[in-house]
Amino acid sequence: MDNYDVVVIGGGPGGLSSSLKAYQNNKKVLLIEREDKLGGILKQCIHNGFGLITFKEQLSGPEYVERYIDEIKKSNIKTLLSTFVLDIKKVKNGFLIIFSNSKGISKVLADNIIFATGCRERSAKQVFIQGDRCSGVLTAGLSQYYVNILGEKMGKEVVVLGSGDIGLIMARRLSLEGSHVKAAYEIKDSPSGLNRNIKQCLEDFNIPLYLSMTVTKTFGKDKLEAIEVAKVDKNMQVIEGTREIIPCDCLILSVGLIPENELISKLGVEMSKKTSGPVVDGQMMTSIPHIYASGNCLHVNDLVDYVSEASVIAGDNASKEIKEIEYKNITIDEHLAYCVPQRINIKTSNSKTIMYLRSRCKMDKAELKILDSSNSEIYKKNLMFVNPAETIRLEVNLDNIKDDIHITLNEKE
Amino acid sequence: MKIEKLNKLLASKYNGKVKAYEKDQTLYLEGELDNYQDIIDIGYLSVDKKRYLGVVNDIKYSKEEVEHIRIPNIKTTKLDNKHVDVLVIGAGISGCSIARELSKYDLSILVVDKENDVAMQGSSRNDGQIHAGVDLKASCNKFKYLIKANPMYEQLSKELGIKFNRCGQYVFFKEGWLRPFVFGLCVVKSIQGVPSYIISKKHIKEKFPNINDDIKFAMCNPRAGVLSPYKYTIAYAENAIENGAEFSLNTYVESMNIVDDKIESVVTNQGVIYPRVVINAAGVFADKIAKMANDQHFTIHPRKGTELILDKKVKDITSSIMAVKSIKDFGAHTKGGGIVRTIDENILLGPDAVEQTFREDYSTNLSNVEALIKKHQASTSLLNKGAVITYFSGIRASTYEEEYYIHSGINTKNIVNCAGIQSPGLTTAPSVAIDIVKMTIDILGDVKENKTFNPYRKTHPILNDLSYEQRDELIKQNPDYGVMVCRCEEISKQEIIDCLESSLTPPTIDAIKRRVRPGMGRCQGSFCQGVVAKIISKQRNIPLEDVVKGTMDSKITYGSNKGSGKRG
């Protein structure tokens, strides 16, 4: 049986960065990908806007991953495509990974595993849209696959629910393909996607965005014929008397992403309710030593550059020895939705700890503070235009941490 | 009650708008009302099983909206002038099990259904329970068939190559004082042939560690089980085909020609068929078919039930079938549903029961979905809204007698009605089929056995059921067994290709989903739907835009966005 220093599961942007970093650290690396090509979801993201931070230029999704794939091809990283991990078992000298591909069922032994399994999309029924099971109701990612990979036309009259980035991108994409995109609806009172996407994908194409509104029902037994939309109150409950019927033959859903963590949770890794991903330390290591997580299975990212960055951290640390572990927790106040990492291993160097946070609310000016257990300030940063759609990224020296730390985010006048 | 008394009652209660009369051992109701529930109530009120075969409720609902029944939009002469011994109308669990039972004899059998696949209505839209029969009166027809059918499942599942789990049913009670009554019920039921016993709180906690604390005791019916209702129906159909039966889908019965109290021919959108016997297994439309045949002695009033499917990750809620019962649930037309761990290891909640005028309106509504979640939270705290991955509705083909109508024709000689089939219709299908076939043979006269009948259906490997060694061996023979298409349910490419080899499988995403399960998981097909569509398109050599989601008109795409010309 083959033995690898590092096995990376998932060949999207996260897995690509992780495996390259581990390889650069002279480790024997295996990269396992379920699909027949590397690149993950970026294969179908043919719009540009990727790589502004990493490469200081605007790339399309395929161009962004191509840069990593080229490096992988030049390396000695063993890559298995069309390969599906069936099971992972903790064994005496590491982890036994069992997988399936066209050659058969095989096993490898891994000293370290990096999970880069991405996320999945929430479906219509999972946001409790009612109706029959007609065609024409599909998630943004699936419609993107049909349009960009299979080259198909999707709808004549299209409505988008959710103002997440993929939804916005698809509104533009379908407009360019000749569909009439009637409107986008967002249940929250502010858009979920990046500002630039609201402007470039909706405003530039005269597609109205209706906030505090949602789709409640679909009509049609065979093909979608119409939808019912309604206004919602602050608690996202439908306001009676505001229901309205909109004829359309295609409803695109961009109603949230859920980190895919079926394999990792089966191993018994501690999960975070806030991110739906595993709890990690500053080294992106999970509660089980030698198991790391990176990319969208850790938390849903808005920028691929952050996926790559966190994955490099995971790849780097998966190539290093773990000396000792003593965790101190990172807690957050009510204005923050989550913070990754959720804890710090004070027995290792944390001089350049990267943290990703999400705010719960919109603030024009805000002050972010990291406090120690005696409420003394360790770190302070002033932020502009904080909103839930955009990640707050920090780079902090946490080398002198002795105890749990607490992060606060407050609006500034 | 006597007709005069009934008419008096109706006259006083509904201002003379409704009248009852008797004809052909049947009670007819006519008139017009603007309250649908009143019409239903009158139907039930008029039931008199001793006096009549059934109630034909023709009371018009003045506010009724016209329902657009799905009719196949094709017209061919494929079946024109086709003479068959037996024509079965309806390819649900009844029609398919009857076809397979008929195929044990040397007969020409044709099954028609207006949908593009078998099991498209009630037979797909239920909880897959093989009932123990605890909630049925020992005197009713349903019970008679159930007692006969229930023990057949071990053998039947082997023959048809489907999974069946006799997991038992557990009914929990919060009212401790009910225990002596339930104990009495257990004794009576056990004597009647439905073994039942009481389990104390201590033992409940051992078997159901996640059950809520306020449960006092439970009743166990070990003869209950689960299977996949659609795979079961499909398996019956495939085995019937293997043994010579013919299926014609997208075939809609438009009318019948009755000559001398016999059905001479049946007119469909695909031609005029000349059958010696017609079997009416048309589910929610069975009364319409019976009326066409001039042999209607019952009414179907559609009753919708909604069911929720939960993620496999909460499968520890139960390993069997369970329900919490309260004193107020007794006597209702449905048990209010339970919690079932399906044969494919999802948790299923429901069904509820709502009367509606439409026979084919499967739309769900939020209040029912929310009520189901709330109701079943009474059993376990593990249950939450976030675990729901999908939901669906089914429509019961209820008669006012709440009983099957299984009869050879009264007015028309060559029809056998298999109607009013609702819960436990899935369970009783094998014994009902035996009876229906007996009635059919009685009409046909001299019928020989089919000497080549093979009860074992040809099956394909299901990778999830195999060991890694067995899977490895299969992959060595056919590499596509190693390539995974559906990540949630772990379905390989070859399993989908295998399924497309069956002549019965229509080129639809949902047909593949019912047979092999890609898209049944937590992502609901958002990862694999496009890939499955591509495989169907390639295997069946049809353009992608002809791959539909479910029904004939459920197009997914509108063709290539790359101009005319062929795609690579």
Side-chain angles (χ1 to χ4, degrees):
Chain A
M1 196 187 327
D2 287 339
N3 194 341
Y4 290 90
D5 298 320
V6 178
V7 172
V8 179
I9 302 173
L16 292 170
S17 300
S18 287
S19 35
L20 274 172
K21 186 65 193 174
Y23 172 74
Q24 284 154 7
N25 288 346
N26 290 319
K27 294 292 152 185
K28 191 179 169 194
V29 181
L30 171 66
L31 172 60
I32 299 178
E33 166 56 38
R34 190 178 62 87
E35 292 189 68
D36 58 2
K37 288 186 187 74
L38 291 175
I41 203 70
L42 287 195
K43 289 195 299 295
Q44 65 185 52
C45 299
I46 60 170
H47 53 282
N48 69 357
F50 299 97
L52 277 170
I53 300 171
T54 318
F55 298 112
K56 310 282 179 278
E57 59 180 309
Q58 288 227 26
L59 302 173
S60 71
E63 285 170 330
Y64 183 92
V65 286
E66 202 58 38
R67 299 201 171 187
Y68 293 89
I69 296 169
D70 285 346
E71 291 299 307
I72 299 258
K73 281 181 182 158
K74 278 186 243 161
S75 74
N76 276 331
I77 296 170
K78 167 103 172 156
T79 307
L80 289 174
L81 299 176
S82 299
T83 300
F84 187 88
V85 175
L86 296 166
D87 202 9
I88 299 169
K89 287 187 177 113
K90 176 91 190 82
V91 288
K92 218 170 96 193
N93 43 353
F95 300 95
L96 184 70
I97 302 174
I98 305 163
F99 55 83
S100 169
N101 58 24
S102 60
K103 296 223 169 67
I105 306 281
S106 319
K107 291 169 187 167
V108 293
L109 209 56
D111 291 344
N112 297 280
I113 303 178
I114 302 173
F115 281 87
T117 46
C119 55
R120 67 170 185 270
E121 298 175 278
R122 201 167 272 135
S123 70
K125 300 271 157 102
Q126 288 159 14
V127 290
F128 295 94
I129 296 174
Q130 306 299 316
D132 202 343
R133 296 178 152 190
C134 54
S135 69
V137 180
L138 63 178
T139 59
L142 178 58
S143 67
Q144 195 175 44
Y145 180 81
Y146 276 115
V147 175
N148 292 349
I149 302 285
L150 298 182
E152 293 288 304
K153 278 183 274 199
M154 291 315 289
K156 289 171 183 146
E157 300 288 321
V158 179
V159 170
V160 176
L161 174 62
S163 57
D165 290 311
I166 328 170
L168 302 174
I169 297 287
M170 280 319 290
R172 175 175 65 185
R173 185 77 189 96
L174 290 169
S175 300
L176 291 170
E177 284 295 346
S179 302
H180 175 222
V181 180
K182 293 179 119 169
Y185 294 90
E186 168 60 55
I187 193 165
K188 288 186 227 136
D189 57 8
S190 69
S192 318
L194 299 170
N195 260 327
R196 66 167 196 232
N197 283 335
I198 301 285
K199 292 208 165 59
Q200 296 168 7
C201 299
L202 296 184
E203 289 171 16
D204 290 357
F205 289 83
N206 296 321
I207 301 166
L209 170 65
Y210 298 100
L211 297 172
S212 298
M213 279 189 87
T214 192
V215 175
T216 48
K217 214 171 165 180
T218 63
F219 298 94
K221 282 183 183 177
D222 304 305
K223 180 84 188 165
L224 181 68
E225 289 162 13
I227 54 168
E228 181 189 83
V229 298
K231 289 190 176 135
V232 298
D233 61 19
K234 275 181 190 154
N235 302 317
M236 296 193 193
Q237 296 300 307
V238 167
I239 303 168
E240 286 309 330
T242 65
R243 293 179 196 265
E244 194 186 329
I245 292 180
I246 315 275
C248 60
D249 63 349
C250 187
L251 172 64
I252 303 285
L253 300 154
S254 170
V255 288
L257 299 169
I258 309 165
E260 280 265 292
N261 285 305
E262 274 54 59
L263 269 174
I264 203 170
S265 45
K266 261 206 280 184
L267 277 165
V269 161
E270 185 187 341
M271 302 297 286
S272 156
K273 282 217 169 102
K274 291 181 172 136
T275 57
S276 302
V279 172
V280 291
D281 61 17
Q283 286 66 43
M284 304 293 160
M285 190 170 82
T286 68
S287 63
I288 299 181
H290 304 285
I291 293 190
Y292 297 80
S294 75
N296 275 352
C297 73
L298 186 53
H299 67 110
V300 177
N301 288 265
D302 49 336
L303 296 177
V304 71
D305 307 83
Y306 294 157
V307 169
S308 295
E309 180 186 48
S311 303
V312 169
I313 298 171
D316 193 27
N317 287 290
S319 342
K320 289 177 183 164
E321 226 177 291
I322 307 165
K323 286 173 197 125
E324 268 180 281
I325 296 172
E326 188 183 339
Y327 287 130
K328 296 297 168 198
N329 290 323
I330 302 171
T331 56
I332 50 174
D333 75 357
E334 71 280 8
H335 297 127
L336 286 161
Y338 68 76
C339 170
V340 171
Q342 290 90 346
R343 58 190 175 203
I344 293 295
N345 177 9
I346 57 166
K347 297 287 183 185
T348 185
S349 165
N350 293 301
S351 56
K352 277 188 173 176
T353 302
I354 309 287
M355 300 173 112
Y356 304 101
L357 300 106
R358 279 220 191 229
S359 149
R360 280 190 191 283
C361 29
K362 241 178 145 168
M363 298 175 189
D364 283 344
K365 280 183 184 174
E367 183 180 63
L368 185 140
K369 282 182 188 174
I370 303 181
L371 309 169
D372 69 10
S373 53
S374 55
N375 267 341
S376 319
E377 195 178 293
I378 306 169
Y379 175 91
K380 187 168 94 173
K381 191 176 185 181
N382 288 320
L383 301 165
M384 300 283 278
F385 306 117
V386 169
N387 84 70
E390 298 187 27
T391 301
I392 304 166
R393 177 193 172 277
L394 306 175
E395 190 176 323
V396 194
N397 182 346
L398 295 175
D399 261 347
N400 299 320
I401 300 300
K402 300 271 181 311
D403 218 331
D404 292 353
I405 56 172
H406 184 66
I407 308 178
T408 62
L409 179 72
N410 285 297
E411 187 148 27
K412 260 180 90 174
E413 286 307 306
Chain B
M1 89 185 72
K2 276 192 179 159
I3 191 100
E4 298 77 20
K5 197 175 157 200
L6 178 66
N7 265 324
K8 227 181 206 174
L9 189 78
L10 293 176
S12 72
K13 221 170 161 188
Y14 302 99
N15 296 326
K17 286 180 190 160
V18 179
K19 253 196 336 221
Y21 65 92
E22 194 186 334
K23 201 180 102 185
D24 304 331
Q25 308 167 57
T26 305
L27 185 90
Y28 283 77
L29 294 163
E30 55 178 29
E32 187 168 334
L33 290 172
D34 58 7
N35 181 332
Y36 187 65
Q37 192 54 48
D38 283 347
I39 299 173
I40 298 293
D41 291 345
I42 296 169
Y44 280 118
L45 175 86
S46 310
V47 169
D48 187 335
K49 289 182 193 170
K50 279 184 195 123
R51 283 196 172 84
Y52 312 111
L53 287 166
V55 174
V56 173
N57 188 346
D58 283 336
I59 302 172
K60 234 186 112 189
Y61 174 41
S62 54
K63 290 182 192 158
E64 183 165 352
E65 291 170 54
V66 178
E67 182 181 17
H68 295 283
I69 300 299
R70 193 159 53 219
I71 292 169
N73 62 359
I74 49 166
K75 209 145 180 85
T76 76
T77 52
K78 187 180 89 173
L79 302 172
D80 228 3
N81 210 13
K82 194 175 176 71
H83 287 71
V84 290
D85 291 323
V86 188
L87 172 69
V88 182
I89 302 173
I93 187 61
S94 297
C96 293
S97 58
I98 290 166
R100 193 251 191 179
E101 191 61 32
L102 282 168
S103 72
K104 292 177 179 172
Y105 300 89
D106 187 17
L107 294 167
S108 55
I109 306 150
L110 174 65
V111 183
V112 295
D113 196 289
K114 75 183 182 73
E115 302 293 336
N116 63 351
D117 197 0
V118 303
M120 282 290 274
Q121 302 213 355
S123 305
S124 266
R125 299 165 175 275
N126 63 77
D127 62 5
Q129 242 191 90
I130 296 308
H131 291 266
V134 71
D135 42 13
L136 293 174
K137 275 192 194 129
S139 57
C140 71
N141 243 345
K142 287 179 178 175
F143 187 78
K144 183 186 90 186
Y145 285 115
L146 188 136
I147 284 294
K148 207 172 147 194
N150 181 291
M152 293 166 79
Y153 277 89
E154 274 76 9
Q155 176 63 22
L156 200 54
S157 60
K158 255 186 240 159
E159 291 180 357
L160 296 177
I162 53 162
K163 278 185 257 180
F164 166 65
N165 178 14
R166 205 177 277 286
C167 54
Q169 182 199 30
Y170 297 82
V171 184
F172 299 111
F173 293 87
K174 289 187 172 179
E175 291 119 336
W177 59 268
L178 278 172
R179 187 167 171 154
F181 300 96
V182 177
F183 177 77
L185 183 68
C186 287
V187 172
V188 172
K189 284 292 154 189
S190 298
I191 293 167
Q192 288 169 355
V194 185
S196 315
Y197 54 88
I198 295 236
I199 311 179
S200 64
K201 188 166 180 167
K202 197 180 110 202
H203 289 104
I204 293 172
K205 270 282 170 189
E206 282 165 16
K207 195 170 163 58
F208 299 93
N210 299 312
I211 197 88
N212 281 352
D213 278 335
D214 54 353
I215 301 294
K216 299 289 189 300
F217 70 99
M219 175 188 193
C220 173
N221 311 114
R223 302 291 297 159
V226 289
L227 50 64
S228 162
Y230 29 92
K231 285 187 197 168
Y232 180 36
T233 308
I234 292 162
Y236 259 133
E238 286 185 348
N239 190 234
I241 292 171
E242 286 160 2
N243 287 300
E246 196 183 328
F247 276 67
S248 178
L249 300 169
N250 297 312
T251 305
Y252 177 71
V253 172
E254 291 166 353
S255 64
M256 292 180 190
N257 294 314
I258 318 281
V259 178
D260 295 334
D261 297 333
K262 270 188 83 175
I263 300 166
E264 186 195 63
S265 62
V266 175
V267 181
T268 75
N269 60 324
Q270 308 234 39
V272 182
I273 306 160
Y274 292 83
R276 288 174 65 201
V277 177
V278 171
I279 295 173
N280 172 13
V284 286
F285 298 105
D287 55 345
K288 307 274 183 200
I289 294 292
K291 192 174 181 180
M292 261 182 216
N294 188 30
D295 205 70
Q296 189 193 348
H297 305 277
F298 57 91
T299 313
I300 303 292
H301 59 102
R303 185 159 65 225
K304 187 188 274 185
T306 296
E307 286 170 293
L308 277 56
I309 302 280
L310 273 56
D311 197 310
K312 283 180 179 177
K313 71 183 178 212
V314 295
K315 72 174 183 185
D316 288 338
I317 288 176
T318 178
S319 57
S320 52
I321 303 160
M322 61 185 223
V324 176
K325 234 178 184 183
S326 172
I327 188 78
K328 60 179 185 289
D329 295 331
F330 286 92
H333 283 313
T334 170
K335 302 168 288 296
I339 304 180
V340 177
R341 190 199 279 189
T342 68
I343 195 75
D344 296 299
E345 306 218 303
N346 288 101
I347 295 293
L348 178 150
L349 309 181
D352 56 2
V354 180
E355 300 285 350
Q356 65 172 31
T357 57
F358 292 161
R359 291 166 190 246
E360 227 177 50
D361 169 20
Y362 292 119
S363 60
T364 54
N365 83 55
L366 188 61
S367 57
N368 293 352
V369 168
E370 283 179 337
L372 275 170
I373 297 170
K374 206 176 153 213
K375 178 195 152 86
H376 292 295
Q377 273 170 341
S379 340
T380 168
S381 55
L382 279 183
L383 215 163
N384 66 72
K385 225 175 152 175
V388 174
I389 58 173
T390 191
Y391 34 86
F392 60 91
S393 289
I395 297 172
R396 301 173 183 87
S398 331
T399 62
Y400 290 108
E401 293 72 33
E402 294 295 334
E403 180 59 287
Y404 298 164
Y405 182 87
I406 293 173
H407 264 287
S408 307
I410 306 291
N411 316 353
T412 302
K413 288 172 194 143
N414 61 341
I415 186 167
V416 181
N417 286 299
C418 178
I421 308 294
Q422 54 163 329
S423 179
L426 193 75
T427 312
T428 56
S431 55
V432 167
I434 291 171
D435 250 23
I436 294 281
V437 170
K438 258 186 214 152
M439 293 175 192
T440 307
I441 290 174
D442 282 345
I443 301 171
L444 286 169
D446 189 27
V447 171
K448 290 191 187 70
E449 266 178 41
N450 174 4
K451 294 227 170 66
T452 60
F453 176 76
N454 180 0
Y456 290 91
R457 181 177 68 107
K458 191 178 152 236
T459 57
H460 294 290
I462 300 167
L463 264 63
N464 271 325
D465 298 345
L466 303 178
S467 70
Y468 289 148
E469 290 73 24
Q470 289 168 315
R471 282 171 77 156
D472 189 56
E473 222 165 90
L474 266 176
I475 298 166
K476 298 266 150 64
Q477 289 163 23
N478 189 338
D480 280 345
Y481 280 119
V483 180
M484 291 295 161
V485 170
C486 166
R487 73 205 243 179
C488 306
E489 296 291 312
E490 295 185 13
I491 312 296
S492 69
K493 187 178 172 187
Q494 186 59 38
E495 288 171 273
I496 294 167
I497 295 174
D498 283 348
C499 157
L500 281 161
E501 276 172 11
S502 165
S503 62
L504 191 67
T505 308
T508 76
I509 297 287
D510 287 353
I512 303 287
K513 182 176 164 187
R514 280 191 292 275
R515 287 160 173 84
V516 215
R517 288 183 68 74
M520 286 279 189
R522 52 179 70 91
C523 93
Q524 286 291 295
S526 63
F527 281 121
C528 65
Q529 197 202 77
V531 183
V532 174
K534 219 169 85 181
I535 296 172
I536 297 173
S537 156
K538 188 164 174 256
Q539 288 299 312
R540 288 288 169 93
N541 198 18
I542 53 173
L544 212 52
E545 66 262 32
D546 287 351
V547 177
V548 291
K549 182 181 174 289
T551 59
M552 271 180 114
D553 298 319
S554 60
K555 276 197 172 296
I556 299 169
T557 76
Y558 291 106
S560 172
N561 60 22
K562 302 282 176 287
S564 50
K566 271 202 153 185
R567 266 164 286 154

